[in-house]
Amino acid sequence: MPELPLLDKRKPAIVILDFGSQYSELIARRIRETEVFSLVMSYRTSANELRSLAPKGLILSGGPSSVYADGAPLPDPGIWDLGIPVLGVCYGMQLMVHQLGGQVEPAVGKAEYGKAPLEVDDQTALLANVVNGSTMWMSHGDSVKSLPEGFVRLAHTVNTLEAAIACHKRKFYGVQFHPEVVHSKDGMLVIKNFVYKISNCEPDWTTTAFVDEAVHQVRSQVGDKRVLLALSGGVDSSTLAFLLHKAIGSQLTCMFIDQGFMRKGEPEFLMDFFDKKFHINVEYINARERFISKLRGVIDPEEKRKIIGTEFIRVFEEESARLGPFDYLAQGTLYPDVIESAGTNIDLKTGERVAVKIKSHHNVGGLPKDLQFKLVEPLRKLFKDEVRKVGMALGLPGEIVRRHPFPGPGLAIRILGEVTNEKLNCLRDADLIVREEINTAGLYDEIWQAFAVLLPVCSVGVMGDQRTYAWPIVLRCVSSEDGMTADWSHLPYDVLELISNRIVNEVKGVNRVVFDITSKPPGTIEWE
């Protein structure tokens, strides 16, 4: 039995088998939005393992392979005899056809990518209430040439004859589009039809149910032992702190290591918020000089990350020994991290499952195994948006729950080139102005991240009839659903103008502001 389903005693109502699609996690998120618990598992999961989990439905994800190619990832044929509904999405649909006696071949004429109107031929079951002509997001280079026995067509497009298929008797369904992406207009309706009408799932995956289960789980695991949490003030660690405090109270100790790369006033705010306002025990560790001294002369961003991560570990080891002993270490591991560590990603050339290196944890930075802690990870089955809901249910104020993601190394990687105290102070002031004006304009919740970047170059300017030679600030604002892809936020000109005027007039050392209009991909959200 793989580790992934054993996150707790709750079994998934819907299991998604991952064949390497970039959208597998998104399918799981969409199902959870219907208040039904789902898990992503490797395509290698056996039929017997699935049978022991007793899901009410099974979804086969998309993927980059062709089902007829050598080495294509194929599931256990026994999944077709589980007696539960199955939905194949893109590659998953082609697998269904291929393994059940139909035929798949390269798309005749041309492949189909992007938006296409779906012509509905049969509105029963899967496509019930889906509007004829509804836009769906297509992404495939192969098509179905012939259907297996017992299958019928549900829908087609101009370029795809079999855009949706079904074997109603066995409750097998397939779609050649991605219902999980926002571009598919009635995609969520398709998902709800499969979850509720076809798989007969009950909407019992609620925030209240999760909190109750998590509190019980933590109490059962920890008993009367002490727990240590590295607190950053981000959504994940803050929510975890509130959850653990609700479960075990004074047995929890939070450690906030101030490495000197936080935003303006944030260390003081966090200590006041957690320790004084909510009476959650937080040990403040001032390590600012220690960290910045390690970065003298360092320019390479990856080297910065490694140095900061290593120093964090050293400080954590020293302080945990001083404050301890502790039996448990709490971490804000989320479900996407669990999926990646389980190695469900597929090698695009061989079709084989491969392990993926996960970036260091936001707070802990890859703690060494010899610390001898047992892990407490009650958020490990949640996506980021679910964590926000849990945080609100636990009483975290909106200013914490809604805050934009912030990198673990902080402002050190938003300063290109060497990090100095002068540059840090400059960037802090500029960053504060960005956030203040975005908030004032009522745009904060519409933007995934809004921040400033300081470049290690100078340009000539004129201020007060005097020549200046100062740094530029880059304004980076992006809109996204999960951070995996992002588009630059189209801010109103008057807001951009106000931000620029304030930064140039109020921030010492800056005489120019530029606006980054690059999407991800090809760019990244951060500049490092």
Side-chain angles (χ1 to χ4, degrees):
M1 178 71 68
E3 180 183 356
L4 186 57
L6 301 181
L7 300 180
D8 61 14
K9 295 181 180 180
R10 176 185 283 268
K11 293 183 178 181
I14 301 290
V15 167
I16 299 109
L17 293 188
D18 180 24
F19 293 89
S21 171
Q22 60 179 319
Y23 299 128
S24 295
E25 290 183 33
L26 187 54
I27 297 174
R29 285 183 58 182
R30 292 292 180 250
I31 293 171
R32 292 178 182 211
E33 288 173 13
T34 70
E35 297 188 344
V36 170
F37 186 42
S38 64
L39 287 178
V40 177
M41 301 177 66
S42 167
Y43 76 91
R44 292 174 179 258
T45 305
S46 71
N48 285 335
E49 290 170 352
L50 291 171
R51 188 174 289 108
S52 69
L53 292 173
K56 294 186 175 182
L58 182 66
I59 296 179
L60 312 181
S61 83
S65 304
S66 293
V67 294
Y68 48 77
D70 292 338
L74 302 175
D76 181 346
I79 66 171
W80 308 113
D81 298 319
L82 291 173
I84 60 175
V86 180
L87 171 62
V89 177
C90 289
Y91 179 81
M93 168 177 154
Q94 295 162 14
L95 272 175
M96 181 181 293
V97 171
H98 179 72
Q99 289 195 314
L100 296 179
Q103 188 174 355
V104 177
E105 64 180 10
V108 178
K110 62 178 181 179
E112 191 173 33
Y113 300 99
K115 298 177 182 178
L118 187 73
E119 301 300 326
V120 180
D121 302 304
D122 183 348
Q123 278 197 316
T124 59
L126 188 69
L127 301 185
N129 299 316
V130 172
V131 176
N132 188 44
S134 178
T135 298
M136 296 295 181
W137 187 260
M138 316 296 288
S139 181
H140 63 101
D142 293 329
S143 293
V144 174
K145 182 179 181 181
S146 62
L147 293 173
E149 184 178 351
F151 278 76
V152 296
R153 179 194 308 147
L154 297 181
H156 67 278
T157 68
V158 172
N159 294 315
T160 303
L161 188 62
E162 313 292 355
I165 61 174
C167 177
H168 293 297
K169 182 178 180 180
R170 302 182 69 181
K171 294 188 176 181
F172 291 167
Y173 300 88
V175 292
Q176 198 59 78
F177 54 87
H178 285 279
E180 70 276 13
V181 303
V182 295
H183 308 292
S184 293
K185 185 177 180 181
D186 281 344
M188 197 62 189
L189 183 55
V190 173
I191 290 174
K192 287 181 178 179
N193 285 339
F194 180 76
V195 169
Y196 290 140
K197 296 182 178 181
I198 296 172
S199 301
N200 296 315
C201 295
E202 295 294 329
D204 61 357
W205 178 244
T206 64
T207 302
T208 300
F210 169 79
V211 171
D212 291 344
E213 290 177 14
V215 167
H216 175 74
Q217 175 185 324
V218 169
R219 288 173 179 167
S220 299
Q221 180 184 3
V222 171
D224 60 356
K225 304 299 183 182
R226 297 182 67 198
V227 178
L228 177 62
L229 167 65
L231 182 68
S232 71
V235 177
D236 303 338
S237 67
S238 298
T239 298
L240 182 54
F242 268 60
L243 178 62
L244 292 174
H245 189 255
K246 179 181 177 68
I248 58 175
S250 62
Q251 293 169 238
L252 170 67
T253 297
C254 297
M255 183 194 300
F256 171 59
I257 299 176
D258 183 0
Q259 61 339 26
F261 308 135
M262 302 294 286
R263 288 172 287 206
K264 190 168 186 175
E266 197 149 82
E268 296 79 7
F269 165 76
L270 292 175
M271 290 303 299
D272 182 73
F273 178 83
F274 285 96
D275 200 16
K276 296 180 181 178
K277 185 174 182 179
F278 286 95
H279 308 294
I280 297 176
N281 180 27
V282 181
E283 294 288 338
Y284 173 76
I285 312 298
N286 187 342
R288 296 182 183 184
E289 289 303 318
R290 179 170 177 170
F291 275 84
I292 198 167
S293 66
K294 296 291 183 179
L295 295 183
R296 289 198 181 102
V298 178
I299 297 175
D300 181 76
E302 186 59 27
E303 188 178 356
K304 287 182 192 176
R305 277 189 176 272
K306 290 179 179 179
I307 290 172
I308 294 171
T310 299
E311 198 61 25
F312 191 100
I313 291 170
R314 290 173 180 163
V315 174
F316 191 89
E317 286 177 321
E318 295 168 10
E319 297 300 328
S320 61
R322 178 179 67 84
L323 297 170
F326 296 96
D327 296 278
Y328 291 91
L329 172 66
Q331 290 195 123
T333 307
L334 302 189
Y335 187 51
D337 302 325
V338 176
I339 295 174
E340 289 179 353
S341 64
T344 58
N345 292 63
I346 311 298
D347 186 291
L348 299 186
K349 293 182 179 179
T350 66
E352 292 296 311
R353 186 175 70 161
V354 295
V356 175
K357 179 182 178 182
I358 308 174
K359 65 182 179 181
S360 298
H361 186 273
H362 179 75
N363 300 327
V364 181
L367 292 173
K369 296 179 181 179
D370 59 7
L371 281 180
Q372 302 299 318
F373 286 119
K374 298 174 184 177
L375 291 180
V376 177
E377 299 177 306
L379 304 182
R380 64 187 272 115
K381 57 190 174 182
L382 300 186
F383 287 102
K384 191 80 170 185
D385 53 336
E386 293 174 315
V387 173
R388 296 185 193 278
K389 293 177 182 177
V390 170
M392 293 190 69
L394 289 168
L396 262 76
E399 58 189 317
I400 295 288
V401 174
R402 297 184 293 104
R403 63 172 32 192
H404 293 172
F406 188 65
L411 299 181
I413 60 168
R414 290 180 178 172
I415 294 174
L416 275 64
E418 184 180 10
V419 179
T420 66
N421 281 318
E422 183 184 9
K423 291 179 180 178
L424 282 167
N425 290 332
C426 175
L427 185 57
R428 282 195 187 97
D429 289 340
D431 178 80
L432 179 61
I433 290 172
V434 172
R435 289 183 288 121
E436 284 179 345
E437 295 304 332
I438 293 295
N439 258 317
T440 300
L443 299 172
Y444 190 86
D445 291 339
E446 298 178 17
I447 298 173
W448 174 264
Q449 277 180 271
F451 57 91
V453 177
L454 189 147
L455 300 185
V457 296
C458 291
S459 65
V460 175
V462 179
M463 300 175 72
D465 294 328
Q466 297 292 320
R467 177 185 184 274
T468 63
Y469 193 57
W471 294 310
I473 285 289
V474 177
L475 175 60
R476 181 65 162 152
C477 298
V478 298
S479 300
S480 178
E481 189 172 85
D482 53 19
M484 297 181 66
T485 61
D487 192 15
W488 62 279
S489 299
H490 296 226
L491 299 186
Y493 288 159
D494 58 339
V495 175
L496 289 173
E497 181 180 28
L498 186 56
I499 291 173
S500 177
N501 287 341
R502 283 197 60 193
I503 290 177
V504 170
N505 284 293
E506 299 175 28
V507 180
K508 184 179 179 181
V510 175
N511 67 355
R512 192 178 299 272
V513 176
V514 298
F515 187 35
D516 182 352
I517 58 170
T518 311
S519 62
K520 175 188 178 183
T524 55
I525 293 178
E526 298 288 347
W527 267 56
E528 52 121 11

